[in-house]
Amino acid sequence: MSLTSIIILTHNGLDMTRDCVDSIFRNTPEPFELIFVDNASTDGTVEYLKTVPQSRLICNDYNAGFAAGCNQGLLAAEGK
């Protein structure tokens, strides 16, 4: 079975990010990796993301925007 890469962009929104991650772990039986690209969150999101298993975190010092963040995540992805 191949690895699925799930790329999630964040910019604050800690509660929604937690809900999203919890849902992924509850409902995804296939092998996966989580790649978070954070666009300069200031609400504790980065600290939380550092604790998420099976994940990698890319932190931007500024809000690079959606398209640039997606591209950063794609470059880091190891799955199909």
Side-chain angles (χ1 to χ4, degrees):
M1 190 175 284
S2 63
L3 180 71
T4 298
S5 299
I6 302 171
I7 301 166
I8 301 173
L9 275 67
T10 58
H11 177 70
N12 297 318
L14 176 58
D15 290 337
M16 287 189 298
T17 301
R18 274 192 189 124
D19 290 345
C20 177
V21 170
D22 290 345
S23 179
I24 290 168
F25 277 100
R26 265 194 326 270
N27 298 297
T28 310
E30 300 85 4
F32 67 89
E33 66 175 346
L34 290 171
I35 300 169
F36 296 104
V37 180
D38 184 78
N39 280 326
S41 290
T42 58
D43 67 345
T45 296
V46 170
E47 291 76 11
Y48 164 70
L49 295 176
K50 288 178 180 178
T51 70
V52 177
Q54 292 175 235
S55 71
R56 283 184 280 152
L57 174 59
I58 299 167
C59 293
N60 291 323
D61 296 350
Y62 61 96
N63 189 343
F66 183 76
C70 286
N71 287 334
Q72 286 177 292
L74 287 170
L75 289 172
E78 294 178 3
K80 301 244 176 198

